[in-house]
Amino acid sequence: MILEQYYIECLSHASYLIGDESTGRAIVVDPRRDITEYLDDARRHGLTIEGVINTHFHADFVSGHLELLAATGAWIGFGEAAETDYPIRRLAHGEHVSLGEVDLEVLSTPGHTWESISLLVRETPQARPTAVLTGDSLFIGDVGRPDLVNLGDGSNTDLARAMYRTIHQTLLELPDAVTVMPAHGAGSSCGKNLSAELTSTIGEQRRTNPSVQPMSEDSFVALITDGQPAVPEYFHVNAALNKGSRAVLDQDRSIPAVTAEQLRAELAAGTRVLDARTPDDFAAEHLRGSVNVGFDGRFAETGGMVAEIGDRIVLITYPGEEQEAAMRLARIGSDEAVGYFNVDSDGTFTAELAELLQAAPRTTVEELDRLLADDAVTLVDIRNPGEREFGVISGSLPIPLAQLRSRIDELPIDRPIVVHCAGGWRSSVAASLLRAHGIEQVSDLIGGYNEWIDHNATA
């Protein structure tokens, strides 16, 4: 048996290739749109990809099932409750998908969504199960949230109750030695306490996962519906794209460089400009109206928070990062990155754009304390609800980053605004987004809440 995991940090997303060496047959589970890696590995192992299974309708990225169909002719499988605009193989609870010796048993595991399934993997039909691919049902350290995209009848509470049964009547009934291989890891918005570990076992989760401990159904529902991260607006778009027919991604796509003159024209036309440099370099100088979404962070997900899917985008990047940045956006269906402009090797802009450049104001924790003492600032906390449970700066206005673009009108603009997150990366995104929407007196807190709490603990 061949079982390969593919993990991308930018989306905290795991996908899988499962193959049978004796027959050369394989399937891919929960693929992303850039499918070259699956095809290359299948070729290297002498495998033919004959099927692609999505454990559910993903919301945080556009799945690569249509790309794999176009490249290989593979059938597309979903749980029985799935409704799509393209032909699918409906996979029922207890059904077996054979690759020869390697056997996959379908487990109906609703809760994150109604059509959610898991795949129990055996090296032979008679063998004890080796692994379970749990999609977004059982994570390492948590379970899937029930409120992302409810595409069927019923409420989020109904889904949460279904998840309780999935965990306690299906997944925890598996042997302790079975390896747990989920579709997401730490940082994903699909849960609130996901571990950085990429695999675990049923036994380890039974012992250590707070969300699967013995508790009443009502207590479980309360636990998994409280304190979840804010939902980025593009999630609903991605779920719809995954249900429907759409254009497949060109695996060899390459966006062109734009000249300084072309960049001026794009700015004048209202094109979104995403600056993928670090917050420090962005603060030193950036194009007026651009939004800082650092390439070294959750670039794709955050890009989807600050720009609509379908928006025309120009990227500002360090040399060599431009094509990967465009591909990361394409993974969430943002295919309209029309070009890039590279800064110089030292991270600065060419002199010919000098008249378009400005610095970004930033605030230290000492300055923030003085402003708060004088009641001279509006402080906006863009962390997620679960983060605020660990502490807040008194008087801060909570608006999670994922909701900021749609809630800008709630911000008072009669005095300066300081934005803070946990460490300073997201606050640079938020402050630049507000300035791009015409709010001039905005700065971000250097070091974020972590720096503030350290400073005030020792002051």
Side-chain angles (χ1 to χ4, degrees):
M1 181 176 69
I2 294 166
L3 177 51
E4 299 274 4
Q5 182 187 65
Y6 305 85
Y7 192 78
I8 50 174
E9 294 282 352
C10 186
L11 286 172
S12 304
H13 166 234
S15 52
Y16 300 90
L17 173 71
I18 308 173
D20 188 319
E21 288 183 302
S22 65
T23 62
R25 299 164 61 192
I27 65 164
V28 179
V29 180
D30 292 332
R32 59 184 191 267
R33 289 181 81 192
D34 47 318
I35 62 171
T36 302
E37 194 171 12
Y38 311 124
L39 299 177
D40 288 347
D41 280 1
R43 192 176 303 113
R44 178 169 57 86
H45 288 299
L47 301 173
T48 297
I49 296 172
E50 63 179 41
V52 51
I53 297 176
N54 282 307
T55 56
H56 62 288
F57 289 120
H58 297 283
D60 56 321
F61 69 98
V62 178
S63 177
H65 51 274
L66 295 182
E67 282 77 10
L68 282 166
L69 169 64
T72 69
W75 52 264
I76 299 170
F78 276 94
E80 275 193 302
E83 296 291 340
T84 63
D85 295 339
Y86 46 85
I88 60 172
R89 176 175 171 177
R90 297 182 184 278
L91 301 171
H93 181 76
E95 180 177 346
H96 290 259
V97 177
S98 174
L99 298 177
E101 287 297 311
V102 176
D103 178 81
L104 311 178
E105 181 181 352
V106 178
L107 304 177
S108 177
T109 51
H112 181 64
T113 62
W114 288 113
E115 78 288 343
S116 291
I117 57 174
S118 297
L119 298 172
L120 192 59
V121 183
R122 294 180 175 89
E123 294 198 42
T124 67
Q126 297 77 30
R128 292 175 65 83
T130 299
V132 59
L133 278 56
T134 54
D136 284 15
S137 54
L138 176 61
F139 291 129
I140 312 303
D142 200 4
V143 299
R145 62 191 293 180
D147 62 332
L148 276 187
V149 185
N150 187 350
L151 295 174
D153 295 328
S155 68
N156 294 334
T157 298
D158 292 332
L159 274 168
R161 295 189 185 284
M163 181 66 85
Y164 181 84
R165 294 188 291 274
T166 281
I167 296 300
H168 293 281
Q169 297 175 15
T170 301
L171 294 176
L172 289 185
E173 291 296 309
L174 299 175
D176 280 357
V178 172
T179 300
V180 176
M181 307 181 82
H184 288 101
S188 170
S189 294
C190 298
K192 57 183 176 179
N193 293 311
L194 280 65
S195 169
E197 298 295 322
L198 302 185
T199 64
S200 182
T201 64
I202 290 292
E204 183 66 17
Q205 290 309 293
R206 194 192 312 278
R207 291 188 295 273
T208 65
N209 187 330
S211 297
V212 307
Q213 299 308 303
M215 68 183 78
S216 70
E217 187 172 309
D218 287 342
S219 296
F220 178 86
V221 170
L223 176 67
I224 72 167
T225 55
D226 181 59
Q228 293 285 2
V231 180
E233 292 180 14
Y234 82 86
F235 275 27
H236 297 277
V237 177
N238 277 196
L241 287 171
N242 285 327
K243 288 190 66 178
S245 298
R246 54 165 177 78
V248 299
L249 178 68
D250 178 1
Q251 301 299 305
D252 298 317
R253 74 192 294 265
S254 178
I255 63 170
V258 299
T259 64
E261 197 56 40
Q262 289 171 323
L263 184 53
R264 285 191 181 88
E266 294 288 355
L267 283 166
T271 298
R272 301 280 186 187
V273 177
L274 300 188
D275 189 323
R277 295 175 301 151
T278 66
D280 287 343
D281 281 354
F282 182 86
E285 61 172 9
H286 62 272
L287 292 168
R288 193 174 298 109
S290 62
V291 180
N292 181 212
V293 183
F295 184 72
D296 60 345
R298 298 186 66 78
F299 180 78
E301 184 178 80
T302 310
M305 294 179 187
V306 302
E308 297 273 1
I309 301 297
D311 277 355
R312 187 178 176 89
I313 293 171
V314 170
L315 297 169
I316 307 298
T317 59
Y318 298 115
E321 293 182 349
E322 59 277 349
Q323 302 304 333
E324 174 64 18
M327 181 58 76
R328 290 185 183 184
L329 291 177
R331 288 174 181 154
I332 65 164
S334 187
D335 293 342
E336 298 303 314
V338 297
Y340 69 90
F341 187 89
N342 278 160
V343 294
D344 293 335
S345 58
D346 63 355
T348 62
F349 281 89
T350 177
E352 61 186 321
L353 291 169
E355 83 282 4
L356 298 178
L357 301 177
Q358 65 180 20
R362 310 192 79 186
T363 299
T364 66
V365 292
E366 295 87 356
E367 291 168 338
L368 177 63
D369 284 343
R370 290 194 294 271
L371 290 167
L372 291 173
D374 294 338
D375 194 25
V377 68
T378 296
L379 180 62
V380 181
D381 183 348
I382 61 162
R383 295 176 300 162
N384 283 307
E387 295 176 276
R388 286 178 57 86
E389 293 176 3
F390 295 100
V392 300
I393 301 176
S394 179
S396 60
L397 174 64
I399 304 181
L401 178 59
Q403 299 174 358
L404 184 61
R405 185 159 55 93
S406 63
R407 296 176 60 185
I408 287 178
D409 291 344
E410 297 179 24
L411 294 174
I413 56 174
D414 57 337
R415 55 184 178 174
I417 294 172
V418 174
V419 180
H420 88 83
C421 60
W425 189 90
R426 286 173 292 172
S427 61
S428 181
V429 179
S432 61
L433 177 65
L434 295 180
R435 287 192 294 269
H437 279 76
I439 303 177
E440 294 294 335
Q441 296 187 81
V442 183
S443 65
D444 69 301
L445 181 64
I446 299 171
Y449 178 78
N450 295 339
E451 182 90 3
W452 182 86
I453 199 70
D454 287 347
H455 169 75
N456 284 278
T458 58

